[in-house]
């Protein structure tokens, strides 16, 4: 009975994942259409629209802008999020609840409201339409993921390790560098992955903060879809999915490699 229940649970999980993923994965064969419209399955397979993507400088310039903005947003959110998670760890329970609610609020507030607020904030500062301004806007959305992941990693640290380092005369910075930072590295890696993907895929905030010369791949896709819907949009969507998938694989590989090294040291 237990084995049948387990098979039923796993089978249901697989069906749910397939139901959610198959419509998304359908973009991949659509990008190999030869026709000028989306057709599934393609009547003729071709790299025509990949060539069109590479031949248009605006497409790969927007891809480069997306990567650049995502990298800056990831670095900013890692720095701010790690500092905030460390501060929350030291705060009293009452203040921790209030501050945590404020830091997590970008996940609750509708993105369109955040985008409008960022637009009216960035424009007077001269940051509207700049890579830095867009990265700062994306940092607001990515910050909660870093705070949550690093916070979970911090709670898993054995307090006696920190007390032992302090008892041996280590300074707070030395304790953080030699003990806290290595132990929270899985949380940092997960937070960085979520922050990068959040920025790389963001479209609403990017629309409000972009300009004619600074636009991300998501904004470029949105502009093209408004005029025409050719398979070149499917090519851009495929690139977004491939980058996201490779990033998660890289993070999982790094975490597994670290776990293996820690197990080897323990033996």
């Amino acid at each position: 009975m237990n084995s049948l229940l387990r098979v039923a649970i796993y089978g249901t999980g697989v069906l749910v994942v397939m139901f959610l993923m198959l419509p998304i994965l359908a973009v991949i064969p659509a990008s190999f259409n030869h026709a000028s419209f989306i057709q599934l399955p393609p009547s003729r397979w071709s790299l025509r629209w990949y060539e069109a993507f590479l031949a248009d400088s605006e497409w790969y310039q927007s891809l480069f802008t997306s990567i650049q903005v995502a990298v800056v947003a990831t670095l900013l959110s890692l720095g701010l999020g790690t500092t905030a998670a460390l501060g929350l760890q030291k705060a009293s329970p009452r203040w921790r609840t209030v501050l945590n609610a404020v830091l997590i609020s970008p996940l609750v507030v509708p993105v369109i409201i955040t985008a409008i607020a960022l637009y009216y904030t960035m424009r007077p500062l001269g940051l509207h339409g700049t890579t830095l301004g867009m990265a700062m806007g994306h940092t607001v959305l990515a910050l909660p993921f870093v705070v949550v992941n690093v916070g979970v990693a911090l709670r898993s640290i054995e307090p006696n390790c920190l007390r032992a380092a302090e008892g041996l005369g280590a300074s707070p910075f030395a304790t953080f560098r030699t003990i806290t930072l290595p132990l929270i590295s899985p949380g940092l890696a997960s937070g960085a992955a979520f922050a990068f993907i959040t920025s790389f895929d963001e479209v609403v905030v990017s629309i409000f903060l972009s300009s004619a010369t600074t636009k991300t791949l998501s904004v470029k896709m949105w502009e093209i879809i408004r005029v025409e819907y050719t398979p070149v949009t499917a090519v851009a969507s495929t690139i977004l999915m491939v980058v996201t998938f490779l990033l998660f694989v890289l993070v999982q590989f790094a975490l597994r490699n670290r776990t293996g090294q820690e197990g080897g040291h323990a033996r």
Side-chain angles (χ1 to χ4, degrees):
M1 184 63 181
N2 290 335
S3 60
L4 290 176
L5 181 60
R6 190 179 301 111
V7 170
I9 292 174
Y10 284 135
T12 304
V14 170
L15 290 175
V16 171
V17 171
M18 290 177 61
F19 177 78
L20 295 174
M21 292 299 297
L22 285 178
I24 300 174
L25 296 177
V27 172
I28 298 176
S31 66
F32 292 97
N33 263 310
H34 181 77
S36 299
F37 52 89
I38 300 294
Q39 185 179 15
L40 286 173
S43 58
R44 180 182 171 188
W45 298 81
S46 172
L47 294 175
R48 169 188 177 186
W49 298 105
Y50 283 88
E51 295 172 355
F53 182 92
L54 296 175
D56 190 342
S57 60
E58 284 194 15
W59 277 110
Y60 53 80
Q61 180 61 41
S62 62
L63 175 61
F64 174 76
T65 301
S66 290
I67 296 174
Q68 189 177 13
V69 169
V71 169
V72 176
T74 301
L75 294 175
L76 288 174
S77 60
L78 275 178
L80 296 173
T82 303
T83 305
L86 290 169
L88 288 173
Q89 198 76 2
K90 301 292 185 181
S92 63
R94 179 180 298 180
W95 278 108
R96 186 183 304 142
T97 302
V98 174
L99 294 174
N100 192 56
V102 172
L103 292 170
I104 303 300
S105 61
L107 296 177
V108 182
V109 177
V111 181
I112 185 66
I113 295 178
T114 304
I116 294 173
L118 288 170
Y119 173 81
Y120 281 105
T121 302
M122 297 292 181
R123 195 166 186 83
L125 297 176
L127 294 172
H128 177 267
T130 65
T131 301
L132 178 60
M134 197 177 299
M136 292 172 66
H138 289 186
T139 300
V140 174
L141 301 179
L143 190 62
F145 295 102
V146 178
V147 173
V148 170
N149 282 278
V150 175
V152 171
L154 283 171
R155 286 192 292 271
S156 66
I157 297 177
E158 175 60 45
N160 290 330
C161 295
L162 304 179
R163 295 192 188 101
E166 293 172 356
L168 292 172
S171 64
F173 178 75
T175 302
F176 174 78
R177 181 176 57 85
T178 58
I179 296 178
T180 305
L181 188 59
L183 291 177
I184 66 172
S185 58
L188 289 172
S190 300
F194 279 107
F196 186 92
I197 293 169
T198 299
S199 174
F200 193 67
D201 294 344
E202 175 56 36
V203 60
V204 179
V205 170
S206 300
I207 289 173
F208 276 81
L209 299 182
S210 65
S211 64
T213 57
T214 305
K215 63 180 70 173
T216 61
L217 186 60
S218 300
V219 175
K220 176 66 176 177
M221 291 170 60
W222 178 75
E223 291 179 348
I224 294 298
I225 290 174
R226 291 179 62 199
V227 180
E228 58 181 352
Y229 189 55
T230 61
V232 71
T233 310
V235 172
S237 301
T238 302
I239 292 174
L240 284 173
M241 287 192 293
V242 169
V243 171
T244 302
F245 176 76
L246 290 177
L247 182 61
F248 270 116
V249 169
L250 181 63
V251 170
Q252 290 300 319
F253 176 78
L255 294 178
R256 185 171 300 178
N257 186 44
R258 177 173 177 79
T259 303
Q261 291 178 352
E262 291 177 350
H265 291 323
R267 287 193 295 267

